Amino acid sequence: MTGQQRGSREAILSKIKRALQMPAPKPGAHGHHSGPHPASPGGGLTLPVINGSQWKQWLPPTGENWDEWAALFARNAEGLKADFHLLESEEELPTALQKLRDENSWQRIAFHAGDLTNLAVRALDVPSLSITEGYDRDELEKCDAGITLCDALIAQTGSVLITARSAGGRALSILPPHHVVLARRAQLLPDLPAAFELLRATYGENLPSLMSFITGPSRTGDIERILVLGAHGPRQLTIFCV
């Protein structure tokens, strides 16, 4: 390594060390900035001041009440090729899951422990793999479906918000070909700000190490603009809300 290369290497490492000393903003709490962006000294990008709910004028409307949020989520889920089922009560969940099992010929499922997922495992009565205390990737890939809880359903985008606490990480929602999400009605929210408020109310300052927004099953349209499901993850996404 030449002296010039060593100098370049040290300069890069020095910048990385300085960057690591700066605390990252918490999700949903970045704040707003007016004037030249800090990353553009001397000018460049200028961001507007946005106060209160002014930002909503640029976003699609979500409705005024829970019934309208649920209807919007259902429409968005359908457009995303996800299956959304709004059940009358938790008591209907076992029968709905058994029907899904039979329609898809599940032989084995994986799950992360929780009140609704434990109920699902008992109702499905097939061999199951718990990832709560860790998992073997090869064994997880052999499962027909991964069943998780979630933190929120977001009507505005038809997205499912999962975290490391509610879903045990991303593997369970990616490796099995069918992802099944179990949610409660209180978790169906109008938009992203409401979802971040719920996260703060649930976890306080101790936010989960992973947060992921799932918007429909895995898809790609890279080849001839033909939509292909399941290219990089599950081909099916089914959401039950009780």
Side-chain angles (χ1 to χ4, degrees):
M1 181 181 294
T2 66
Q4 183 178 1
Q5 290 173 326
R6 282 194 295 271
S8 298
R9 178 176 179 272
E10 292 302 321
I12 293 172
L13 290 176
S14 177
K15 290 181 179 180
I16 293 174
K17 290 177 181 178
R18 289 199 300 272
L20 290 174
Q21 292 173 358
M22 299 174 61
K26 292 184 180 297
H30 294 68
H32 302 289
H33 176 76
S34 178
H37 192 275
S40 305
L45 178 64
T46 298
L47 302 180
V49 175
I50 302 177
N51 297 313
S53 60
Q54 294 179 18
W55 49 266
K56 289 190 176 182
Q57 63 183 299
W58 294 296
L59 298 177
T62 59
E64 300 297 327
N65 55 57
W66 190 90
D67 288 335
E68 293 182 355
W69 304 342
L72 177 60
F73 185 90
R75 291 195 300 271
N76 285 332
E78 182 180 8
L80 294 164
K81 309 298 183 184
D83 295 318
F84 175 60
H85 303 274
L86 182 59
L87 305 182
E88 291 297 327
S89 68
E90 184 177 319
E91 285 68 31
E92 293 185 0
L93 184 59
T95 300
L97 286 167
Q98 290 164 1
K99 180 180 178 182
L100 193 64
R101 174 201 61 194
D102 296 341
E103 290 175 347
N104 292 275
S105 302
W106 291 346
Q107 300 300 311
R108 192 183 190 200
I109 60 171
F111 72 102
H112 183 259
D115 53 352
L116 291 179
T117 51
N118 291 342
L119 171 64
V121 171
R122 293 193 297 269
L124 289 169
D125 192 28
V126 295
S128 61
L129 172 67
S130 172
I131 71 160
T132 307
E133 301 298 332
Y135 62 92
D136 179 271
R137 185 189 65 185
D138 294 333
E139 292 300 316
L140 183 55
E141 287 182 327
K142 295 176 184 177
C143 294
D144 299 304
I147 302 178
T148 74
L149 301 177
C150 70
D151 287 86
L153 304 178
I154 302 165
Q156 197 165 59
T157 59
S159 302
V160 177
L161 170 58
I162 65 170
T163 67
R165 307 274 185 86
S166 63
R170 293 194 66 195
L172 189 53
S173 65
I174 291 178
L175 292 181
H178 195 157
H179 181 199
V180 179
V181 176
L182 309 180
R184 295 191 180 277
R185 290 174 179 247
Q187 294 176 308
L188 201 161
L189 305 173
D191 49 35
L192 287 171
F196 284 121
E197 288 177 10
L198 180 61
L199 286 177
R200 284 193 290 268
T202 303
Y203 301 113
E205 294 299 310
N206 187 26
L207 288 172
S209 58
L210 173 138
M211 289 178 279
S212 180
F213 293 91
I214 299 171
T215 307
S218 173
R219 65 188 61 218
T220 184
D222 292 342
I223 302 175
E224 299 294 333
R225 297 183 181 179
I226 298 173
L227 181 63
V228 177
L229 299 180
H232 310 293
R235 293 188 300 274
Q236 292 177 265
L237 173 62
T238 301
I239 306 157
F240 290 103
C241 184
V242 301

